[in-house]
Amino acid sequence: MGKQYANRSGIKLLLYIFGIVVAAYILVFMPTPYVIYEPGSAEEIRPMVSIPSADTTENGAFMLTTVLRKNANIVSIVASTFDANAQISKNNLAGRSEKEYATEQLINMSDSQSNAMMAAYTHANVPFQVVTDKLVVIYNIPELETHNDFQSGDEILSVNGVKIEKYEDMAYALQNNRVGDTIRSTVLRKGKETVVSAQLIEIKDPEGKSRAALGLRLGIVQKVKADDPSKQITFSAGDIGGPSAGLMFTLEIYNQLTAGDLSKGYRIAGTGTVTPSGSVGIIGGVQHKIVAADRQRADIFFVPQDNYAEAKRKWEQIKSSMQLVPVKTVDEALDYLTQLPDKD
């Protein structure tokens, strides 16, 4: 009798443990089709930018702002419903993998840095040149049935023996090939040269004309070179991705290229894409960036004009004391800072 009771107790214990394991998996580890967006960071840009002849006077700070994106589990979904600053969304990557999404964000950040350099050089009257640095595979275009061994993040070095230095080199390398041909390419993958093969597929250009192609979405990484090496900009932004730091990069670079302290002692955060000519464009997740900047005691927040209404709603909701400044161009931001009195 005692042995039977012990057996039943052992079975109950195993079932109990199994139930806990299943519950933990469902609540914590089971993937869901959702992601959660939250306020990220507000990070000072000065340590990310280096210029040999820089005027390093900066009593305040220029800060880029980020959005935290994380895959959601049941526990985090429930918790986020009680967080006014969290946003639950469908994890819609449009056919991309997480790695492909990350690669695209890093390419976008590279573009943002290049545009910021060009905008800052232009406004500071520093002559410069722009050259293509490399072509990077972002992903196979989901709508096309591609057949190749490329991976997201591959840097294309050659195709059919033709050295690839700019985008136009791809068309030249494939000009004598037809749909169905298999080509060989050398790529730089995780620091090592690797040979990959690919079958060319048929695509149509905007005029409806068919041609043979790889079916890849490529990112072009540019180098912006100052004619004066002492004014050459280098970045060390780590793994921060996305295009929205352009405006704030421009302001930090301009401050280092010109005499005086444009920050005037203020902690200045903001967001917005920037074009080489200095136009400031709309971005996503501005409500989260407002919160991130407020948490880091920013005095001023520059926001693209087209994001202003959304930003103002969150600014009012959190009762922030920051000055919320809408801008359409770099010139508007510079004019605002020029007229600003020094902070006490």
Side-chain angles (χ1 to χ4, degrees), residues 21-32:
V21 171
V22 171
Y25 171 76
I26 293 173
L27 294 174
V28 180
F29 300 105
M30 186 176 72
T32 73

Side-chain angles (χ1 to χ4, degrees), residues 14-267:
L14 289 174
L15 290 174
Y16 178 73
I17 295 172
F18 178 74
I20 291 176
V21 171
V22 171
Y25 171 76
I26 293 173
L27 294 174
V28 180
F29 300 105
M30 186 176 72
T32 73
Y34 298 96
V35 292
I36 297 175
Y37 294 99
E38 297 176 346
S41 60
E43 303 189 27
E44 295 187 12
I45 301 174
R46 182 178 170 182
M48 305 178 189
V49 176
S50 176
I51 305 172
S53 64
D55 180 343
T56 57
T57 306
E58 190 169 286
N59 295 319
F62 291 98
M63 299 184 289
L64 61 81
T65 49
T66 67
V67 177
L68 177 62
R69 175 185 179 273
K70 59 185 183 182
N71 292 322
N73 56 34
I74 300 298
V75 171
S76 61
I77 289 173
V78 173
S80 67
T81 60
F82 299 96
D83 185 351
N85 296 319
Q87 174 188 1
I88 305 171
S89 298
K90 272 278 193 179
N91 189 13
N92 183 10
L93 295 179
R96 296 166 295 179
S97 67
E98 289 286 347
K99 181 180 179 181
E100 290 167 346
Y101 174 79
T103 299
E104 185 171 43
Q105 290 299 94
L106 290 174
I107 293 295
N108 287 340
M109 173 57 86
S110 175
D111 289 344
S112 176
Q113 292 171 350
S114 295
N115 287 350
M117 291 169 69
M118 287 185 272
Y121 280 150
T122 299
H123 284 76
N125 297 314
V126 175
F128 65 93
Q129 307 293 326
V130 182
V131 296
T132 299
D133 183 28
K134 56 188 175 182
L135 264 65
V136 177
V137 175
I138 301 178
Y139 53 75
N140 283 275
I141 299 174
E143 297 80 16
L144 302 176
E145 189 176 344
T146 54
H147 306 282
N148 62 67
D149 298 325
F150 288 106
Q151 294 182 11
S152 182
D154 285 348
E155 177 187 342
I156 299 180
L157 302 178
S158 68
V159 172
N160 278 343
V162 175
K163 188 176 181 180
I164 303 299
E165 295 182 327
K166 55 186 182 296
Y167 188 78
E168 291 75 15
D169 294 337
M170 292 288 291
Y172 175 75
L174 299 175
Q175 63 180 342
N176 296 321
N177 289 102
R178 298 180 179 180
V179 174
D181 287 352
T182 297
I183 61 97
R184 291 167 67 84
S185 175
T186 301
V187 303
L188 190 65
R189 179 181 296 168
K190 296 179 179 179
K192 294 183 178 181
E193 289 193 12
T194 303
V195 177
V196 300
S197 62
Q199 186 180 62
L200 297 181
I201 63 171
E202 181 182 15
I203 66 170
K204 294 187 177 181
D205 59 25
E207 289 76 33
K209 185 178 179 180
S210 297
R211 63 182 178 87
L214 294 167
L216 300 173
R217 169 75 188 279
L218 297 174
I220 301 173
V221 178
Q222 295 179 317
K223 273 188 177 178
V224 182
K225 295 184 176 181
D227 291 356
D228 180 353
S230 73
K231 297 185 184 299
Q232 183 60 48
I233 303 160
T234 55
F235 284 96
S236 57
D239 59 355
I240 298 173
S244 63
L247 170 62
M248 300 313 297
F249 275 136
T250 302
L251 296 178
E252 173 63 43
I253 294 168
Y254 181 86
N255 193 38
Q256 293 194 28
L257 288 171
T258 56
D261 180 12
L262 191 64
S263 76
K264 297 184 177 180
Y266 295 91
R267 291 177 62 78

